[in-house]
Amino acid sequence: MGSTTENQMIGVILCSSREPRVCPQISDFIISTIKESEIYSATSPKPTLRIIDLAKDTLPLYNEPTIPSQVKHHSGYIQPHTITWSLEIQKYSAFIFILPQYNRGYPAVAKNAIDYLFNEWTGKPALIISYGGHGGANSARQFSEVLNGVKMKVVGTMPALTFPGREVLLKALKGEDLGLDGKGAFWEEERKGILKGVGELFGLLS
Ligand SMILES: Cc1cc2nc3c(=O)[nH]c(=O)nc-3n(C[C@H](O)[C@H](O)[C@H](O)COP(=O)(O)O)c2cc1C
């Protein structure tokens, strides 16, 4: 039985800023997979899963004159948007990154969001769940290096969700409903990998 010392928050970071996009559908699928799982029901007190949407928490391309690794308090930042982002990220104990793959790599918006801060990320557990026409394993592998760079504890399991065929990929590109919450939904098998990663993430919560 898992246990956490206090009611901690896990940030579920939506790493697509496209319009339209499927990232919110995929995060809903992942959050419901977690909330309906044995590991979640056996964990007390339950961590709160809260969405952080990089399409809404918009940051300009990195324009902070300071080097974040040298900043020990948010008052050390110059730009107001960096201070807001720092205060937001400080609230969370761990993160789940919902990460698409673009051109065999991670989306620029995800790297930009990481680069703005350093100490706010350091030491916190991270689970990367990628998706794409081929599952996005390249994106996840490359992004794990970025998270290692800010000294996050990236869990070993990185579930990669592959769209089952061209028809679904074309729907995803248009941001159409993939039917992940209905009958005939795919990725039933993939739920196991997601929960394996979640188990590792919960295990790192102090
Ligand atoms: C610019 C761009 C590049 C893409 N490159 C890849 C790729 O390298 N591999 C892959 O599997 N899918 C690729 N795709 C397909 C995406 O995985 C798919 O469009 C998915 O819907 C993107 O997530 P989003 O809708 O949440 O932004 C790419 C999509 C875009 C828009």
Side-chain angles (χ1 to χ4, degrees), residues 23-41:
C23 199
Q25 288 182 53
I26 292 170
S27 69
D28 285 351
F29 169 75
I30 289 164
I31 289 172
S32 64
T33 297
I34 296 170
K35 288 196 169 167
E36 291 161 13
S37 71
E38 279 177 25
I39 177 163
Y40 192 72
S41 55

Side-chain angles (χ1 to χ4, degrees), residues 32-204:
S32 64
T33 297
I34 296 170
K35 288 196 169 167
E36 291 161 13
S37 71
E38 279 177 25
I39 177 163
Y40 192 72
S41 55
T43 299
S44 177
K46 298 191 192 323
T48 302
L49 299 165
R50 194 201 271 183
I51 284 177
I52 303 170
D53 189 345
L54 297 184
K56 293 186 180 144
D57 289 332
T58 45
L59 290 160
L61 280 176
Y62 187 78
N63 65 354
E64 179 66 40
T66 54
I67 299 173
S69 60
Q70 304 304 310
V71 178
K72 306 294 179 207
H73 186 267
H74 63 264
S75 59
Y77 294 116
I78 307 299
Q79 301 285 5
H81 52 258
T82 317
I83 295 170
T84 303
W85 186 230
S86 169
L87 291 171
E88 174 67 11
I89 293 306
Q90 284 179 43
K91 295 176 194 162
Y92 299 89
S93 307
F95 298 91
I96 301 175
F97 292 89
I98 316 294
L99 189 75
Q101 176 159 307
Y102 296 164
N103 297 316
R104 298 196 186 174
Y106 47 74
V109 71
K111 177 71 158 58
N112 193 48
I114 296 296
D115 287 346
Y116 262 102
L117 308 175
F118 188 96
N119 294 301
E120 294 84 344
W121 302 116
T122 295
K124 293 182 181 173
L127 167 63
I128 301 170
I129 302 178
S130 64
Y131 61 96
H134 301 284
N138 284 320
S139 174
R141 185 176 38 76
Q142 293 167 23
F143 197 61
S144 71
E145 289 297 318
V146 174
L147 300 188
N148 286 334
V150 293
K151 299 190 166 71
M152 294 188 87
K153 295 178 189 160
V154 185
V155 305
T157 297
M158 294 192 283
L161 307 173
T162 304
F163 298 131
R166 188 165 170 72
E167 196 182 323
V168 178
L169 174 62
L170 292 177
K171 274 188 169 182
L173 271 167
K174 290 186 263 180
E176 290 176 3
D177 184 4
L178 302 183
L180 290 171
D181 56 355
K183 275 190 180 165
F186 43 90
W187 292 345
E188 281 312 306
E189 220 22 57
E190 281 78 355
R191 287 189 202 261
K192 290 179 195 160
I194 292 169
L195 293 176
K196 183 166 184 277
V198 168
E200 291 169 27
L201 187 79
F202 282 15
L204 289 173

